[in-house]
Amino acid sequence: DGKLDVVTGNQGSGNVGVANLTAAGGLRIMATMGANVGPQMFFLGFTQQGLRVDGGHEVMVHESWFGQFLYSDPRKENGTATTSTAIQLNGNDHYITNTIVFSSNVGVEVNGAANVLTGVHTWNLARGRGGTGILLRSGTGGQTRLVGCYLDWNELVIEDPNLVTVTNGFFLQSSAVQVRLVHSSTVNGLVITGNEFVGVVGDTVYV
């Protein structure tokens, strides 16, 4: 599928580092303890996931850029052409820090618990064109912390929130927080505090 796969075979044989890589097809990391993705990573041209993490623990993504299309490509703002997810975390205890998503349908999708996103800037496909900045999936996105993230014309979606914290973020224009109850009828331990909302029409938090 054009991806570079990193497989350790078990979660105890990690310590994988990838740096200074320009990838057209993306990167998949499976069952790895302690992978380091960055700095100066530039992922371009992926149609499914730019980076997919399956299982493992403590994969650290930092100082990286992700785009299905280049900045000036008109397909970047086309909801039909833009099909990808830039980063998909399918596991627990991973970190994304100081990372930019400039083109994708979904910026970051979290399917796991106890993950931390810090300084993530999503200016991928806009909310009005069907895009999502950060998506915390139902039943798996609990106990996740978002600190100092910048959602730029797209939204943060939290499904069935369970001990989720969103703090010191910046939401620009049509950005918003959307809480969806998918499999649960209750919201447990959701903290949204110290964020700035600029140019948002109407409510900033949708339930």
Side-chain angles (χ1 to χ4, degrees):
D1 58 5
K3 287 185 173 64
L4 170 65
D5 286 350
V6 177
V7 186
T8 66
N10 64 71
Q11 295 183 5
S13 57
N15 301 320
V16 176
V18 183
N20 301 316
L21 172 70
T22 299
L27 174 67
R28 183 182 181 191
I29 300 175
M30 296 175 284
T32 301
M33 174 68 89
N36 178 40
V37 181
Q40 300 181 46
M41 302 285 287
F42 194 92
F43 295 82
L44 179 65
F46 48 88
T47 58
Q48 296 181 10
Q49 297 92 17
L51 169 64
R52 175 175 166 179
V53 179
D54 290 335
H57 289 277
E58 298 173 1
V59 172
M60 304 186 73
V61 183
H62 58 101
E63 284 78 37
S64 299
W65 289 257
F66 291 82
Q68 181 174 353
F69 301 112
L70 274 174
Y71 315 104
S72 58
D73 192 319
R75 293 174 295 176
K76 179 181 180 298
E77 298 301 331
N78 185 320
T80 302
T82 305
T83 57
S84 64
T85 297
I87 303 173
Q88 185 179 71
L89 298 181
N90 302 317
N92 304 337
D93 306 338
H94 303 302
Y95 294 79
I96 305 176
T97 306
N98 298 338
T99 292
I100 312 298
V101 178
F102 60 86
S103 173
S104 64
N105 185 276
V106 177
V108 179
E109 178 183 341
V110 178
N111 300 290
N115 295 288
V116 181
L117 280 62
T118 305
V120 175
H121 178 195
T122 58
W123 60 287
N124 51 298
L125 190 65
R127 174 188 176 199
R129 293 173 176 166
T132 301
I134 299 173
L135 170 60
L136 307 184
R137 283 289 190 189
S138 172
T140 59
Q143 305 158 30
T144 294
R145 288 154 288 165
L146 276 63
V147 181
C149 294
Y150 174 13
L151 287 98
D152 195 344
W153 287 81
N154 46 46
E155 63 186 354
L156 164 64
V157 176
I158 308 173
E159 297 182 348
D160 298 332
N162 178 33
L163 303 177
V164 173
T165 297
V166 182
T167 184
N168 295 327
F170 182 61
F171 294 78
L172 179 64
Q173 295 300 326
S174 61
S175 302
V177 179
Q178 183 178 148
V179 177
R180 298 176 182 170
L181 296 181
V182 179
H183 302 295
S184 174
S185 60
T186 61
V187 173
N188 178 42
L190 174 61
V191 177
I192 301 175
T193 183
N195 299 282
E196 294 182 347
F197 295 84
V198 177
V200 178
V201 178
D203 296 333
T204 56
V205 179
Y206 299 88
V207 180

